[in-house]
Amino acid sequence: MIFDTNILIYADRGVVSAKELIMSTQHRSISAVTYMEYVPFCRNKKELATFEKMLQALQFTIHEIDHGISYHARQLVRQFALSHCMEMGDALIAATAMAHNELLCTGNIKHFSQITGLLLDHYQSNEN
């Protein structure tokens, strides 16, 4: 399962159900985009080091952006930017999930629901 950035943020903010979801998932991954979106949420180098240790300890795979993912993301932006406000980061994350045939877990289902062929898991916190 590939996690959208918001799932990691929920877990970091102490949302127990997000932490449990991550811990109960056997094969964890993120897009390189998620890494780059998450790092600015770190307040200092210590928090960044903690984030990186967590990724390593939980054996997250970080999927890099290659030519195929870039091309597919560009097509998604072209198709959905004007009609659904598709942004670059979401397009790259969706294209990454599709390239690796992984279920994308997100709390922002509306950012992705229009994409045919994308496997989605809609995370909803029961703590809000």
Side-chain angles (χ1 to χ4, degrees), residues 3-45:
F3 291 96
D4 192 8
T5 312
N6 57 64
I7 306 301
L8 299 179
I9 292 170
Y10 292 142
D12 183 55
R13 291 183 178 163
V15 178
V16 174
S17 61
K19 289 181 181 182
E20 289 173 347
L21 174 63
I22 291 169
M23 295 303 295
S24 67
T25 300
Q26 189 172 9
H27 300 286
R28 304 170 192 96
S29 65
I30 59 172
S31 167
V33 173
T34 296
Y35 179 93
M36 291 182 278
E37 287 180 340
Y38 186 89
V39 169
F41 283 95
C42 298
R43 291 175 288 198
N44 53 50
K45 289 182 181 183

Side-chain angles (χ1 to χ4, degrees), residues 1 14 24 35 39 43 47 53 70 74-75 80-82 84 87 97-99 115 118:
M1 179 182 299
S24 67
Y35 179 93
V39 169
R43 291 175 288 198
E47 286 189 1
K53 286 178 187 174
S70 175
R74 187 163 42 99
Q75 300 311 308
F80 297 116
L82 300 178
H84 293 84
E87 295 182 357
M98 294 176 81
I115 303 172
L118 177 62

Side-chain angles (χ1 to χ4, degrees), residues 70-81:
S70 175
Y71 180 82
H72 189 190
R74 187 163 42 99
Q75 300 311 308
L76 291 172
V77 168
R78 182 173 186 257
Q79 185 175 1
F80 297 116

